[in-house]
Amino acid sequence: MAPPALDSLPAPLRSLRLKTKQQELLLRVSALALIYVLAFAVRLFSVLRYESMIHEFDPYFNYRTTLFLTENGFSEFWNWFDSESWYPLGRVVGGTLFPGLMVTAALLHRLLRALSLAVHIREVCVLTAPFFAANTTLVAYAFGREIWDSGAGLVAAALIAIVPGYISRSVAGSYDNEGVAIFALLLTFYLFVRAVNTGSLAWALASAFGYFYMVSAWGGYVFIINLIPLYVLVLLVTGRYSQRLYVAYNCMYVLGMLLAMQIRFVGFQHVQSGEHMAAMGVFFLLQVFFFLDWVQYLLNDARLFKSFLRITLTCVITVGALALGIGTASGYISPWTGRFYSLLDPTYAKDHIPIIASVSEHQPTAWSSFMFDFHILLFLFPAGLYFCFKRLSDATIFIVMYGLTSMYFAGVMVRLILVAAPAVCLISAIAASATIKNLTTLIRTKSRSPQTTSGKTTGSKAAAKGAVDQSLPFQHNAAIALLLGAFYLLSRYAIHCTWVTSEAYSSPSIVLAARGHNGGRVIFDDYREAYYWLRQNTPPDAKIMSWWDYGYQITAMGNRTVIVDNNTWNNTHIATVGRAMSSYEDEAYEIMQSLDVNYVLVVFGGVTGYSSDDINKFLWMVRIGGGVFPVIKEPDYLVNGEYRIDKGAAPKMLNCLMYKLCYYRFGELTTEYGKPPGYDRVRGVEIGNKDIKLEYLEEAFTTSNWIVRIYKVKPPKNRS
Amino acid sequence: MMDHRDVMLPLSLRTLATRTLLLLVIASAVSCSSLPPEDGIRVVSAEKRIDLTGPIVKVFLTLKVENAPTASEASRVLLAFTPTEVQHLSIVKATRAEGKRKKKAFVPLSIEPSELATTAPDAPRLYSVLLSTPLKPGDATTLEVLYMLTHSLEPFPAEISQSESQLVYYRDSAVLLSPYHVLEQVTYIKMPSNRIESFTRVDPTTRAGSEVKYGTYNNQMPNSYLPILVHYENNRPFAVVEELVRKVEISHWGNIQITEQYKLKRHVLNHKGVFSRLEYQSRPSVSGASSFKNLLVRLPPRVHSVYYRDEIGNISSSHLRTNSHKSELEIEPRYPLFGGWHCTFTIGYGLPLQDFVFESVDGRRYINLTFGCPLLDTVVDDLTVKVVLPEGSKNPQPVVPFVTEKHLETSYSYLDVVGRTTVVLKKKNVVGEHNVPFQVYYEFNPIFMLAEPLMLISAVLLFFVAFIAYLHMDLSIRKSS
């Protein structure tokens, strides 16, 4: 606000041009500020609807580690061996996580404390994702300005502020790596593109640090370390090699790699893992290219150079291939991991790694979710690509490549829509901004044709265009109509995004809400009821066995030791739990005794109709258990390939531990009026085994809506 | 309240003199553990009514005491308690009936622990009731004494399952434990229901419904004790707050914020074996008769911004009812509390400043709040009240009508630089009777109210100035073309 007013006072005779420029600056800054606030505010639905709390599963682990970090300091955190999870193995937490998120939140917390704001670390954690989402809008603005113009930058900032694909992972309370990582990802890309555009070492250095932050925050950094070499390769192939590119890539790669090695979880992967080899190959290729360039300059003879090129290229390729081959064969370079394979081949996980396939967010994306998460951007995206190709530059090539690759990955895995969202927003912003700009120039040249003196930036272009288009009839009206249409679409987008955010993405999933008979909101707070019960009323060293989904929550909220959790690093251990759940009670008892289990926790939705319960997940337990222990066979639990729990169910199904624990005494309960007792409201059938007797376990606690049931494992009987 | 203290001081000084004299006399008598009445006081008639209906044992004593015509003036009357009783004694109050018939009024008397006879481990501990006017030789007066005992009901059997009801033991003496000669005495024990498993007979003993009467006993020697044991059903929830921290933050901008952290335990007996939700839901009256679902918190009127949460988030089961006289918050723990189950939670609320903070005549300010725990019918084992005075206040002086442990500390909150003076009061064994007003006096200059807003204003101003300066400065080394 201040600058124009202050300027106008002392120097009223300043030139008009400066004044409009300042007005433009004011407009831009205030628009950006509004977008910043909007991006933050739109993510607060969950806080207003529910409360300031951590959502979902993984964020609870992040919250727990952040709490540990703020209480015990960094070196304790870095060397933390957590004996509360993966009993009896434990977990080296400091070496198996990306510390970026926790360190960020802890620093923010310390900063606020230093400003004597007495906030709790939980509030900082809850608001970290919205804060970084707001920062992302600024980066998107800068990025948009870099690849197109400041108008596109503003539109990109506005689009990304509310794009549902990004909001889904960055609402308040969704304290996950992605919340920070998307900011870091976009920042790294922006700084790199800027470095390529300017050839400045400073920007390349900045992008190396951006990359370091990204590596410290999320495993998705692999995308950067593969996309940037690919981009460099494309530039090389298309003959766009330049000194600027050389400086930018070398500095970014070498420094970025060295910095990334400081993260314990990543370690020497940059020189040892197959996923990072492309970057190294391109690095060497770039050196060869530079060398050849220099030789060509020295030789100054086309024929001689051609033969030299042939020799060098064959040498280099052989040496490279040999090195790669030897490295892989000797085991120095690790092969690609399953997760990486499953990205390239969507069917891979289903056949080889059931534990990845069992996670819903790793499923291939449905068309509807593209529509849901991108809305009009899905149509603007191709248009933006058209504009990019029309004005091809180093920067637009980058954004096109980013857009296309990330769109492919988004198609492979639902959760990667998140990575595609910024690219889609940027490209769509180019389309929207360019279209609207063209339309408005059309309207303005028409109406202002007599007075085109004020040297507009696009003045000459527009005038020329106007002159060409003069012949078209109804051009002015058509432009206005199109403009209105564009605004209508954009406003629909805004409405859609707000609706999606408030309806679909703002539920903490730890507290379930439903509509009661009288239309009022009914809250099912069973998870916290159970976890708090565990926390208060079980011995502090009790070991809880549950399916791995609830591991993080039990350790964070229940403060008790778990056998397996969401960090699925040991497949055998998970398979053991899966085996226990799918065995008969006496067999399961032996497994539980060997794991020192004191309590077993199951999630059961049959009373309330909560469908993501353990009975619905049970087949995955069987599959994962059967993958390691062949005694568990999936067909034993199915009847003619059909999964049933009623009277016609397989006998093994009706008597396995999971079935018994979920349906213990359920047969005596009437869940729905007019239905027999023991009617499961999720599966919509009456259960097949109503007379369940437990021999080795006893019911310890069941929450008020039966969603969580906890059983105590009885101590072994005395020998008689 | 200030006056009250001023009066107390000389009184206790006066007794101190007599006490030192008495100590010499008594020292020899202690060894035989029977204390001869040093003055000629004897109890003409005593009535002891024990109320066992709730989790707290309430005892009403009516003593008619008489000073022997030959003795000197008596300025105090001694009450005796067993050592276990003293441990669980939460409050003792005494009043003296003065005046005749219609002009009869009850004057509260102060009580202090007497140092007499505490050397022997089993000897009764004595409390002196300080009489406002000394009892002349040959005169008689009536004292009404009320005392409460916490943790005095012992569950038997110690573990019950979900659907059983809770039986407890209560131990006491059939006759009044007193250092004096008791001429005539009767004891009534009132129980919550007709279900009395057993009671010790010390003839004459009669039972009428839910009440057991012991006595009348005549001519009991000093320090006589006839142990009795009553075994009866008590299904009233035994909620015990093991620890309660009440934090009162005063803001002179118009708000008092109170945060109360509870550590609650369903006390005494343990829950045995299985908790079945099915039985709990389908037969709520039978199953879990002794568990409790909800608690009632009585808050002052005009309360606002009430919250109820614990370490892992809000607890969604609570109701607030407000009217102009009081507010009631009905809270439900996350899970029903069975024997031995714990539960911690925090309640917070705001109150309007003008209802509780006043300016006294000498220019100081004082806050006037209720001391005890707002939860009804509970015992607080360990209560801490922290009064956080606004930043810049000086000379805090708490005034509490009973003995508490006091100290000062400094706490920091939003935008604090020097920190806030905090008055910390601690007391053990707190019951509902301790819900009496207390005051904290302090000096506060209203100019300090402006410190924090001014800090913020200057920060924002600096930001704008920096921004303006940035826009008007050219920091580039080389002029770009």
Side-chain angles (χ1 to χ4, degrees), chain A residues 665, chain B residues 157 159-167 195 233 235 266 269-291 337-339 341:
Chain A
R665 300 197 76 179
Chain B
E159 279 194 345
I160 55 165
S161 72
Q162 193 175 343
S163 50
E164 286 172 311
S165 61
Q166 169 180 290
L167 299 172
R195 194 171 162 203
E233 182 191 61
N235 270 331
R266 168 67 174 63
L269 82 173
N270 283 316
H271 179 60
K272 180 172 71 184
V274 184
F275 165 68
S276 169
R277 175 66 69 172
L278 183 81
E279 270 170 25
Y280 184 74
Q281 276 174 339
S282 55
R283 291 187 287 275
S285 56
V286 182
S287 156
S290 64
S291 77
L337 280 183
F338 281 88
W341 287 12

Side-chain angles (χ1 to χ4, degrees), chain B residues 196-235:
Chain B
I196 302 169
E197 295 282 304
S198 67
F199 55 92
T200 317
R201 290 191 169 272
V202 181
D203 284 329
T205 306
T206 45
R207 177 187 163 181
S210 62
E211 200 173 62
V212 177
K213 179 187 174 193
Y214 286 94
T216 311
Y217 305 109
N218 291 320
N219 255 333
Q220 293 292 326
M221 290 309 288
N223 290 330
S224 40
Y225 192 84
L226 288 172
I228 51 165
L229 181 69
V230 189
H231 193 202
Y232 69 103
E233 182 191 61
N234 189 341
N235 270 331

Side-chain angles (χ1 to χ4, degrees), chain A residues 271-274 277-278 280-281 284-285 314-335:
Chain A
V271 288
Q272 286 190 341
S273 128
M277 280 304 130
M280 188 176 275
F284 285 121
L285 193 68
T314 27
C315 282
V316 164
I317 288 169
T318 358
V319 167
L322 219 64
L324 197 68
I326 290 171
T328 316
S330 65
Y332 178 75
I333 297 173
S334 63

Side-chain angles (χ1 to χ4, degrees), chain A residues 585 588-590 592-593 596-600 664 693-700 711-718, chain B residues 273-274:
Chain A
E585 198 188 342
Y589 185 65
E590 277 175 31
M592 292 188 293
Q593 283 295 311
D596 289 351
V597 174
N598 302 110
Y599 291 89
V600 183
Y664 179 65
K693 296 266 184 296
L694 290 173
E695 199 181 333
Y696 299 100
L697 295 115
E698 61 184 10
E699 188 179 3
Y711 293 85
K712 188 172 196 288
V713 181
K714 288 184 192 165
K717 286 198 183 92
N718 289 337
Chain B
V274 184

Side-chain angles (χ1 to χ4, degrees), chain A residues 3 51 116 532 537 702 704, chain B residues 277 281 311 314 342 344 415 471:
Chain A
E51 59 182 280
S116 70
Y532 212 64
N537 299 310
T702 298
S704 46
Chain B
R277 175 66 69 172
Q281 276 174 339
E311 290 140 292
N314 281 352
H342 293 262
T344 57
L415 299 174
L471 281 187

Side-chain angles (χ1 to χ4, degrees), chain B residues 62-104:
Chain B
T62 312
L63 299 175
K64 195 170 176 205
V65 290
E66 188 187 66
N67 202 354
T70 51
S72 57
E73 274 191 355
S75 60
R76 52 176 201 151
V77 175
L78 292 173
L79 300 173
F81 297 96
T82 61
T84 30
E85 276 179 334
V86 170
Q87 258 176 32
H88 298 141
L89 190 67
S90 116
I91 197 164
V92 197
K93 282 189 193 173
T95 52
R96 181 186 185 181
E98 278 181 3
K100 294 264 156 36
R101 286 188 192 92
K102 283 187 179 172
K103 285 184 180 173
K104 199 169 178 178

